[in-house]
Amino acid sequence: MNTLFERLYGHEAQAVYFAPGRVNLIGEHTDYNGGFVFPCAINFGTRLTIAPNQDRCLRFRSVNMEPVVELPIDQCFAPLPDRCWVNYPLGCIAQLATLAGGLPMGYDMLFEGNVPLGAGLSSSASIEVVTAYAFSCLLGKNLSLIEIAKVAQHSEHSFAGVQCGIMDQFVAANGRQDHALFLNCDTLEFMQVPIRLDGVAIVITNSHSPHRLDSGTYNERVRACQKAVECIRKEKEIEYLAQLSPEDFARVQHTLTDAELLRRARHVVSETQRTREAVQALQQGDLNTFGLLMNASHRSLRDDYEVTGVELDTLVEAAWQTAGVLGSRMTGGGFGGCTVSLVREDAIEAFKKQVSRVYTEKTGLTAEFYIARTSDGVHIVRNAN
Ligand code: GLA
């Protein structure tokens, strides 16, 4: 009895799976608008250790989330109240159980996550994807990684109540070490783009801000974009905002008489274009252009999409003032959470010092820094059989 799983459950594990979190380099709030995103999977993630039990119940434990939950296997089809963390895995198990015509037995599960919670690095997607993948394997369904991402996204919609796009779940499933994933969220076509950053690091800065992107604010942005599409349809038949080129947008923007809707739509169109250009720049080894596009992305999220706030703006603006920083922006849904910066390796220590000082002076909070290491998407770590 030496592993944590064995100590908690009193028997051996059958298998261990891992799914990563992600950092999005550029392409923010574009996924649910049919646009492009460019995230990479990171080495923070969630490990799921699992074994069948003879009690016909599902047991959920996490090393970093409460409570412990136990459910009979025929009660896995409805979400739990009070925003319980178990809804993330449960929504995936419900779908796999439906596909398999029910669960043949119960399972004991232990989730061990090291993605900072609520930091915009997709801790929830890593839990969903690792669960969807594990149950797809255990129930012999062998879904493709794209199907796994869709199951995980559906769980977020129907069990967690967030009408999210597919970026987080897609990269947690399909990410590849040393690559960023260029994804067309309309067609789900994607390309793995090698990240060659000679002498430059991807630095993630956690604001530890108490402001969270809650499901209400997120879903409100999703609805604003749908409304903008309805207005533009009077002039041009579109399904998603990201179908508009900047030139198309200039022609139809007069249909957006509400100034707020105009700003929201302008962000989506400009961000989609920036993401295209940023991927090209990276492919050509032009990190300076990539950095400038990151900065423009942040300004657009701050001024047009209005999802930044004083903490993220302070971190990014302090980074912009620091020598050796090629670009910096908020990453993820926004409000609290993290920023992502491209920093020359020899400037990292000065960057941390400068950004920490300015941030604490202005907000009274303490920033935390991680050097991002890329990772592969979901996979099995160990199988006892
Ligand atoms: C959250 C959502 C994603 C995406 C980002 C913003 O992380 O889960 O689908 O919309 O916000 O780009």
Side-chain angles (χ1 to χ4, degrees):
M1 294 285 161
N2 39 27
T3 70
L4 180 60
F5 184 92
E6 288 167 7
R7 286 200 300 279
L8 290 169
Y9 286 115
H11 59 94
E12 272 182 23
Q14 177 182 334
V16 182
Y17 301 88
F18 173 83
R22 62 101 187 90
V23 61
N24 189 20
L25 300 178
I26 194 162
E28 217 66 84
H29 288 281
T30 46
D31 58 353
Y32 52 86
N33 287 299
F36 296 116
V37 293
F38 196 44
C40 41
I42 54 176
N43 64 341
F44 291 141
T46 303
R47 265 161 67 104
L48 167 57
T49 307
I50 190 164
N53 62 45
Q54 303 307 317
D55 314 321
R56 301 189 65 76
C57 71
L58 294 169
R59 295 197 183 94
F60 298 87
R61 285 175 195 265
S62 158
V63 291
N64 46 356
M65 285 175 294
E66 295 284 345
V68 174
V69 169
E70 183 172 323
L71 287 174
I73 53 174
D74 53 0
Q75 279 176 31
C76 70
F77 298 101
L80 302 176
D82 306 326
R83 297 168 171 267
C84 181
W85 70 273
V86 167
N87 283 326
Y88 297 118
L90 194 58
C92 297
I93 297 172
Q95 292 171 73
L96 266 310
T98 304
L99 278 178
L103 290 176
M105 61 188 102
Y107 289 93
D108 292 340
M109 289 165 267
L110 174 63
F111 292 85
E112 292 170 276
N114 63 354
V115 189
L117 295 179
L121 301 176
S122 287
S123 49
S124 60
S126 73
I127 299 173
E128 290 153 357
V129 167
V130 80
T131 311
Y133 186 78
F135 277 82
S136 161
C137 298
L138 294 167
L139 301 177
K141 291 285 122 197
N142 302 324
L143 299 185
S144 72
L145 292 175
I146 294 184
E147 288 168 319
I148 294 285
K150 288 184 180 169
V151 165
Q153 181 196 25
H154 186 69
S155 172
E156 184 92 28
H157 287 188
S158 55
F159 274 56
V162 181
Q163 298 305 312
C164 65
I166 197 155
M167 166 169 71
D168 305 346
Q169 292 80 7
F170 201 94
V171 69
N174 294 283
R176 186 186 293 174
Q177 191 171 7
D178 297 324
H179 292 74
L181 192 144
F182 181 39
L183 171 66
N184 177 332
C185 299
D186 179 17
T187 61
L188 299 188
E189 284 166 320
F190 66 99
M191 187 167 70
Q192 305 280 4
V193 181
I195 319 194
R196 279 181 239 98
L197 298 175
D198 307 314
V200 172
I202 300 171
V203 182
I204 298 171
T205 307
N206 189 344
S207 67
H208 286 293
S209 157
H211 302 132
R212 297 269 171 262
L213 176 72
D214 60 25
S215 53
T217 316
Y218 185 91
N219 293 345
E220 202 181 277
R221 291 293 186 283
V222 175
R223 274 196 303 277
C225 292
Q226 289 162 350
K227 251 195 192 158
V229 167
E230 278 164 34
C231 297
I232 292 168
R233 276 206 186 127
K234 291 183 199 132
E235 187 88 22
K236 187 174 166 67
E237 196 40 56
I238 55 165
E239 203 181 333
Y240 302 116
L241 284 176
Q243 286 169 317
L244 297 170
S245 66
E247 295 72 31
D248 291 334
F249 186 66
R251 278 192 292 273
V252 299
Q253 62 175 345
H254 64 91
T255 58
L256 298 170
T257 48
D258 178 313
E260 193 178 289
L261 281 195
L262 175 73
R263 290 200 302 278
R264 303 291 186 255
R266 186 165 59 202
H267 165 73
V268 174
V269 173
S270 65
E271 183 76 353
T272 299
Q273 179 62 16
R274 274 188 292 276
T275 307
R276 241 190 230 118
E277 290 172 15
V279 174
Q280 269 172 17
L282 187 69
Q283 287 174 316
Q284 290 160 4
D286 181 357
L287 290 183
N288 287 320
T289 300
F290 194 94
L292 293 175
L293 290 162
M294 289 172 79
N295 298 348
S297 165
H298 186 83
R299 284 193 294 272
S300 178
L301 288 155
R302 182 189 64 193
D303 302 335
D304 277 350
Y305 218 64
E306 297 176 278
V307 287
T308 59
V310 63
E311 292 87 359
L312 293 174
D313 289 338
T314 302
L315 287 176
V316 165
E317 283 156 24
W320 289 346
Q321 304 295 316
T322 307
V325 174
L326 279 61
S328 184
R329 58 183 288 278
M330 59 151 270
T331 185
F335 296 108
C338 290
T339 66
V340 56
S341 310
L342 289 187
V343 186
R344 292 202 186 288
E345 276 165 2
D346 54 14
I348 293 177
E349 284 317 307
F351 167 84
K352 287 186 187 170
K353 225 167 147 190
Q354 161 86 350
V355 172
S356 298
R357 188 182 54 76
V358 174
Y359 186 61
T360 305
E361 263 169 31
K362 181 127 187 212
T363 64
L365 299 169
T366 305
E368 193 180 356
F369 300 88
Y370 323 107
I371 309 295
R373 311 250 174 265
T374 57
S375 152
D376 285 332
V378 69
H379 54 271
I380 187 156
V381 179
R382 191 166 59 76
N383 196 342
N385 299 326

